[in-house]
Amino acid sequence: MRTPWFKHVLFVAFLLMLSFPALQGWWGWWEEVPLGGAYKVHPKPDWVWGNWWKTKIQHETEAYAKQQFGWQPNLVRMHNQYVYEWFGQSPNSSLFLGQSGYWFEDVYTDAYQGLDYEGRDDVREIVEHLEVIQQELKKRGKAFVFLLAPSKARYVPEHLPTWCTLGDSTNYDVFLQEAAGRKINIIDVNAWFQREKATTPYPLFPINGTHWTVYGMHKVVDSLLHYLDHVTGYDLPEVVIDSLWTTTDHQDPDNDIEWMLNMSQPLPHNRL
């Protein structure tokens, strides 16, 4: 009994579909948008006989083929979107979805929980070194200012995942305790942002970004320059903001977490 012709057609079409990624990777018919975030790019291996006998070229070729096949960025974005839409989970193990659509990075949630706590003795040693540095620089007519950058986890703890709670001991809290009473020029932007939170006309942290907003960054630069005026006695240039606009079309770095998530559809944006 002869096989129906349409089965041959389906078989050939299936083989072509499987070969398309390889053909796209080889010929590059369509331009692809690279994935966001930091990752190691595996270059095309050099075919050298010495590498062949050491099996180095085999491992390099495998790594290259896994990463550089056709439509790999689009397929990754489809997979990540599927994980997010169907399971409500983050496709990136270092990024977490909190409450009300807020995203957080593990560096800051770990610090908030005290998982990276160095110990009081080590923190005290850092504070003592900073005090010595400031004293020595002062002798040389130099100003020293230590700025504590803000943490999104501390700025909006109400939007953290329910499992993320403030640790009993954190580097930030112990640092402030050890620095109290010492004559170190410290600008605690973390505490300042928390005080500004209720009255600021524009958000100081975006929902889809891990760092302060561009607006918050400019406020800090302006305040830092005024503080340096006071510490140094010099009249430094000022930041002049002659116009402002709001948008829901977030740009880098206000969307850096969304950029690292590599999903095929945009996330909801707040107005910045």
Side-chain angles (χ1 to χ4, degrees):
M1 181 177 179
R2 298 180 61 183
T3 304
W5 64 269
F6 67 87
K7 289 188 177 182
H8 292 289
V9 174
L10 289 176
F11 180 70
V12 172
F14 180 70
L15 291 180
L16 287 174
M17 183 181 66
L18 292 179
S19 64
F20 276 159
L23 295 174
Q24 165 65 14
W26 183 264
W27 296 104
W29 292 318
W30 291 276
E31 185 176 356
E32 301 178 79
V33 179
L35 294 174
Y39 57 93
K40 180 180 179 181
V41 177
H42 296 284
K44 193 171 184 179
D46 295 326
W47 286 80
V48 180
W49 277 113
N51 291 340
W52 173 271
W53 295 115
K54 296 176 183 177
T55 70
K56 179 181 178 181
I57 197 169
Q58 290 87 333
H59 294 296
E60 291 180 347
T61 301
E62 181 181 8
Y64 173 79
K66 285 182 177 180
Q67 186 184 72
Q68 303 296 336
F69 64 86
W71 297 307
Q72 186 254 6
N74 292 334
L75 294 173
V76 169
R77 292 187 177 96
M78 289 174 58
H79 167 268
N80 291 353
Q81 189 71 36
Y82 169 78
V83 171
Y84 172 67
E85 293 286 352
W86 285 80
F87 300 100
Q89 297 178 358
S90 170
N92 189 318
S93 59
S94 65
L95 305 173
F96 304 108
L97 176 61
Q99 303 177 61
S100 304
Y102 274 76
W103 287 87
F104 298 88
E105 191 175 2
D106 60 355
V107 175
Y108 302 99
T109 56
D110 287 353
Y112 184 79
Q113 297 175 92
L115 300 180
D116 62 349
Y117 179 50
E118 298 288 344
R120 184 171 291 274
D121 291 341
D122 288 346
V123 175
R124 181 185 299 116
E125 184 178 3
I126 293 173
V127 173
E128 291 172 348
H129 287 170
L130 291 177
E131 188 175 32
V132 171
I133 290 172
Q134 178 170 307
Q135 292 171 352
E136 291 301 317
L137 288 175
K138 186 176 181 180
K139 294 177 183 178
R140 293 164 171 77
K142 308 295 183 181
F144 174 84
V145 177
F146 188 80
L147 187 145
L148 287 168
S151 163
K152 186 178 181 179
R154 287 184 177 270
Y155 181 71
V156 284
E158 68 276 12
H159 294 307
L160 285 167
T162 55
W163 50 261
C164 186
T165 57
L166 182 62
D168 295 331
S169 297
T170 68
N171 291 323
Y172 170 73
D173 292 323
V174 173
F175 178 90
L176 292 179
Q177 293 168 12
E178 292 296 328
R182 298 179 184 268
K183 296 181 180 180
I184 304 176
N185 297 325
I186 296 177
I187 298 180
D188 186 359
V189 182
N190 216 6
W192 176 37
F193 270 24
Q194 292 176 51
R195 292 192 301 269
E196 291 279 312
K197 181 178 174 181
T199 58
T200 179
Y202 306 105
L204 300 177
F205 272 95
I207 62 173
N208 301 324
T210 192
H211 300 102
W212 47 23
T213 59
V214 173
Y215 170 76
M217 174 184 63
H218 281 82
K219 285 179 66 71
V220 171
V221 171
D222 180 63
S223 298
L224 177 60
L225 288 174
H226 281 89
Y227 185 79
L228 290 173
D229 283 346
H230 170 72
V231 172
T232 64
Y234 294 116
D235 185 16
L236 298 175
E238 297 184 358
V239 174
V240 177
I241 301 177
D242 55 8
S243 63
L244 288 171
W245 69 91
T246 62
T247 180
T248 56
D249 183 17
H250 293 185
Q251 304 296 321
D252 185 59
D254 289 338
N255 63 343
D256 50 8
I257 286 183
E258 181 176 13
W259 180 63
M260 291 188 291
L261 284 169
N262 288 305
M263 294 196 290
S264 56
Q265 298 299 320
L267 292 170
H269 292 172
N270 59 338
R271 181 165 289 276
L272 302 176

